[in-house]
Amino acid sequence: MRQKSDSRRQCILEAATSLFREVGFGRVSMAQISARVGGSKATLYSYFQSKEELFATAMIEAMEEQGQAMIDLLDPSEPDVRKVLQCFGETYVNFIALPQHLCCVRTAIAEGGTNNGLGATLYRLGPKRGWEEIAGYIAAVMERGNLPKGDAKMAAMHFKGMLESGALYPMLYGAEPELDTKTMVTGAVDAFLRAYG
């Protein structure tokens, strides 16, 4: 029974993800999702309490595997901090350029001013988690002596901001990134190591 339930949940997530990408969060209804899945709205609500919960789950799960693989690149046992930051940075910039990521960020911003909690949930599960993972890596390499000790959270915020500024922000507006990925990341790593190295 559990396998059937998991399979049904996955079908719902796939249908919802597809619809959200096609027409955007605001224009999708639970009725449309249940029609695409081939079931009732009651069944849909038995898996997800709201459209907001369904959207957050669909977006986060769609990116979870790639996100974890990217986080795994932050290996504090590697003594070459520049190498780790460059590899992670290039992977991160490519990740934030994915259509599903941009869709998620646009929706989080649009919904952030409402009282439904979707924007805050997406921030907590996405950008905040990424920032905390980078901070954890920086704290670990500071502890190992590969970077001078300092405020790891602030350092992570600065590094993440430098990676995003020339790529994520232009793309949210439908524009091209300001620089190619390698150049942008190399500049961010250089600036970071001058400030914190």
Side-chain angles (χ1 to χ4, degrees):
M1 185 66 167
R2 174 79 178 159
Q3 187 175 9
K4 184 177 178 183
S5 176
D6 287 347
S7 172
R8 184 69 172 162
R9 180 181 183 277
Q10 193 56 40
C11 286
I12 292 168
L13 285 171
E14 287 169 11
T17 301
S18 176
L19 269 170
F20 288 134
R21 286 191 192 144
E22 287 169 26
V23 299
F25 173 79
R27 294 175 53 195
V28 173
S29 69
M30 292 295 259
Q32 288 173 297
I33 297 167
S34 63
R36 184 166 286 194
V37 173
S40 68
K41 280 201 298 184
T43 301
L44 208 56
Y45 281 110
S46 72
Y47 286 91
F48 301 96
Q49 293 179 2
S50 65
K51 183 174 81 165
E52 289 78 14
E53 180 186 329
L54 176 51
F55 180 85
T57 304
M59 292 298 107
I60 298 303
E61 286 194 11
M63 296 181 285
E64 184 68 29
E65 190 174 322
Q66 290 168 297
Q68 189 56 54
M70 179 178 59
I71 287 166
D72 290 344
L73 296 172
L74 295 170
D75 179 8
S77 68
E78 167 58 59
D80 189 342
V81 175
R82 177 181 292 278
K83 177 181 166 185
V84 171
L85 293 177
Q86 184 74 31
C87 183
F88 170 80
E90 289 179 24
T91 305
Y92 181 73
V93 169
N94 290 330
F95 175 78
I96 63 176
L98 292 171
Q100 61 264 39
H101 180 267
L102 291 171
C103 172
C104 187
V105 173
R106 286 185 182 116
T107 302
I109 291 168
E111 294 296 313
T114 67
N115 292 325
N116 64 25
L118 177 60
T121 298
L122 291 171
Y123 172 73
R124 180 177 48 79
L125 296 174
K128 184 173 183 180
R129 179 178 170 221
W131 169 59
E132 288 172 344
E133 293 286 352
I134 297 169
Y137 164 75
I138 292 171
V141 295
M142 285 176 171
E143 193 60 38
R144 293 174 75 97
N146 293 335
L147 283 179
K149 290 198 176 179
D151 186 337
K153 287 186 175 184
M154 181 68 76
M157 190 182 302
H158 288 157
F159 184 60
K160 187 171 178 287
M162 285 189 287
L163 292 176
E164 293 172 350
S165 62
L168 178 62
Y169 297 113
M171 288 186 291
L172 287 175
Y173 287 90
E176 291 297 312
E178 293 296 327
L179 299 166
D180 67 274
T181 299
K182 190 167 188 64
T183 302
M184 190 168 6
V185 173
T186 300
V189 172
D190 286 346
F192 177 83
L193 291 177
R194 279 196 303 273
Y196 291 98

